[in-house]
Amino acid sequence: MIQEFKTFIARGNVIDLAVGIIIGAAFTGIVNSLVVDLINPLLGLMTGGIDFTDKYIVLSGTVADGASLDAARSSGAAIFAYGSFAMAVLNFLIVAWAVFMLVKGVNRLQRAAIRKEEAAETPAAGPTQEELLAQIRDLLADRTSMA
């Protein structure tokens, strides 16, 4: 069982997966900063200063008017945090778009590399049938003129 585990860990896929997870975790910080520092202020500017992350509806319980989302959550009231959810969806869409663009770029590079390999592997085209027949004719003409 230990040998199987070593074989499993030594595979390239596991290493690639680990690298992907580490880069994904670092990428999350970039996306969060993009949303919080760049997109939210623009949305707030377009909507008259409204910050969507703190938008919620109290379903049951009591929350002081104008309380932040964190204060509403800590009060024990049941809340419907639609603003926080909207920002999570926006984060997801940004990450999905970035990953899509990354995969699209990598696929384009792979296709270009495959085309180069195929072009290098394709043997040079030989003479056509007509060219071969013309060469044979010329060789026969040379033989008859020598005799």
Side-chain angles (χ1 to χ4, degrees):
M1 189 156 110
I2 291 175
Q3 184 60 34
E4 282 183 75
F5 181 70
K6 285 180 183 178
T7 304
F8 173 74
I9 291 297
R11 279 192 205 158
N13 295 349
V14 173
I15 303 301
D16 291 344
L17 180 62
V19 169
I21 289 171
I22 292 167
I23 290 175
F27 192 64
T28 299
I30 294 170
V31 171
N32 285 337
S33 176
L34 174 70
V35 172
V36 171
D37 299 331
L38 301 177
I39 293 176
N40 281 354
L42 290 174
L43 286 176
L45 184 65
M46 289 187 280
T47 60
I50 298 173
D51 181 13
F52 287 102
T53 54
D54 273 347
K55 294 297 177 188
Y56 62 90
I57 298 171
V58 178
L59 299 175
S60 67
T62 55
V63 176
D65 288 340
S68 69
L69 178 61
D70 290 334
R73 285 181 174 155
S74 64
S75 72
I79 58 169
F80 184 75
Y82 64 89
S84 180
F85 177 74
M87 290 291 95
V89 169
L90 184 60
N91 280 351
F92 169 76
L93 292 174
I94 291 169
V95 170
W97 179 255
V99 169
F100 168 74
M101 295 304 289
L102 179 69
V103 168
K104 185 175 178 174
V106 168
N107 285 343
R108 183 179 304 137
L109 290 174
Q110 285 178 341
R111 282 192 301 270
I114 289 171
R115 277 190 230 121
K116 273 187 177 179
E117 287 177 10
E118 288 175 352
E121 290 175 3
T122 305
T128 64
Q129 187 175 12
E130 289 80 15
E131 292 170 338
L132 288 174
L133 289 173
Q135 288 175 3
I136 293 170
R137 180 197 63 212
D138 294 342
L139 288 173
L140 290 173
D142 287 343
R143 278 192 187 172
T144 55
S145 65
M146 290 182 151

